[in-house]
Amino acid sequence: MDIKIGKIVITKDSIPVTIAEAAVEHLGSVKVAMRMAQEAKKIGVDMIKFQMHIPKEEMVSGLINFWGGSLDEILESYNLTIKDHQLLIDYCKEIDIQYLCTPFCAEAVDVLNELGVEAFKTGSGEMSNFPMMEKLSSTSKPVIISTGMSTEEEVDDLVKFHKNKKTKFMLMNCTSIYPAPYNSINLKLIHSFTEKYDLLVGHSDHTPDIWTGVGAAALGARVIEKHFTLNRSLKGPDYEVSLEPYEFKNMIEGIKKVHAAKGNNLKVILDQEIEVRKWANHSIVAKRKIDKDEVIKRDMITVKRPSRGIEAKYFEDIIGCKIKKTINEDHFINWEDIQK
């Protein structure tokens, strides 16, 4: 079930891995892409993800309108070259951040595989692209798969396909709306998919801020992917759902704190709680002086801090018992002081 990508090992118990989705927010500049990798490393991101587009292999020209123009033309304008990707792979190794890339066609899978990538991340639009999934599986490298805009039956088919191929893969909960409203995120699917498919499950987030990313970590996501930009004012294609570095850093801090707070499902008294428990809990005390051989009545006793006598939960149990020695007002009553 564990997935290893470079130095990073993703397990069901590990701190959630963060992916900064650079997408094409670099606007085609490899220098900007490198700076994005540098900033991502600086703020503690585990992986930075780019995209490889080969428009003529991906789509029929001129039919998809996106961000003020034809998508294939936009991608041609802001695309990174194969040489750029090689430079980015080398640079990411140099600064010690994991390079990751999303191919959008089988041909891009071949190119990235030849460049020596250590894993693939697919977009939701490729979920039913089984020829491409076949190509990904044949590389024997891990695949992180987003599941936006799909039915559960389609997820079933995809999981069955990859399990039959013995692909090393994991799923990402995702809502393919940009920006996505909070009531569309469905974070509960993280647990559902984990249980149903016996797989690692992450979350690819398209809200405009950090909160559902942090929430996903609380609900068991093993990977959190979020769009990343150096500056939203550059207004790249995904600027509305992209975090700037300081925001991404805050999200990472929140994810780590939430992970530490998740615990182990066992309710115990922690060592650090013992001293607090001694003064914070209540014991039974005499409300007035109670003479030896008196029978305890409700109006004779009350409960007060600290915890030094009979625990407050036994209040009803000692009513009707006889006192063996005189207990002064506001003194604790102990078990050895009563006769049942």
Side-chain angles (χ1 to χ4, degrees), residues 170-181:
M170 65 175 290
L171 300 178
M172 299 285 276
N173 177 55
C174 181
T175 302
S176 299
I177 305 172
Y178 304 81

Side-chain angles (χ1 to χ4, degrees), residues 44-56:
V45 175
D46 297 301
M47 304 186 192
I48 183 158
K49 187 179 80 67
F50 299 96
Q51 297 179 358
M52 178 168 282
H53 294 280
I54 307 176
K56 66 186 179 66

Side-chain angles (χ1 to χ4, degrees), residues 226-239:
K226 191 79 179 176
H227 279 260
F228 182 59
T229 184
L230 294 176
N231 191 329
R232 271 193 297 274
S233 67
L234 296 174
K235 295 204 171 178
D238 299 304
Y239 80 96

Side-chain angles (χ1 to χ4, degrees), residues 133-271:
M133 290 294 170
E134 175 77 44
K135 180 76 73 172
L136 286 164
S137 181
S138 71
T139 69
S140 300
K141 294 177 179 178
V143 187
I144 302 173
I145 301 172
S146 277
T147 61
M149 55 187 179
S150 63
T151 66
E152 193 157 339
E153 290 74 22
E154 288 171 331
V155 180
D156 290 343
D157 291 342
L158 180 77
V159 169
K160 183 178 179 181
F161 175 88
H162 279 300
K163 285 193 172 185
N164 286 340
K165 297 286 182 183
K166 302 192 184 309
T167 311
K168 199 78 169 175
F169 74 106
M170 65 175 290
L171 300 178
M172 299 285 276
N173 177 55
C174 181
T175 302
S176 299
I177 305 172
Y178 304 81
Y182 304 107
N183 62 5
S184 72
I185 301 302
N186 203 4
L187 292 177
K188 287 185 177 181
L189 275 178
I190 295 166
H191 177 74
S192 298
F193 281 1
T194 301
E195 293 296 305
K196 180 176 182 179
Y197 301 121
D198 190 26
L199 291 170
L200 296 173
V201 178
H203 177 66
S204 182
D205 195 79
H206 295 131
T207 62
D209 49 41
I210 72 172
W211 306 114
T212 47
V214 174
L219 292 176
R222 310 316 321 144
V223 172
I224 311 294
E225 179 187 36
K226 191 79 179 176
H227 279 260
F228 182 59
T229 184
L230 294 176
N231 191 329
R232 271 193 297 274
S233 67
L234 296 174
K235 295 204 171 178
D238 299 304
Y239 80 96
E240 288 184 286
V241 297
S242 297
L243 299 182
E244 293 185 357
Y246 77 95
E247 295 169 307
F248 215 113
K249 183 179 181 181
N250 288 341
M251 185 181 74
I252 293 170
E253 183 179 353
I255 286 169
K256 288 181 176 179
K257 288 179 177 179
V258 162
H259 174 75
K262 282 174 64 179
N264 58 12
N265 297 324
L266 300 176
K267 180 58 182 166
V268 297
I269 299 171
L270 300 175
D271 291 344

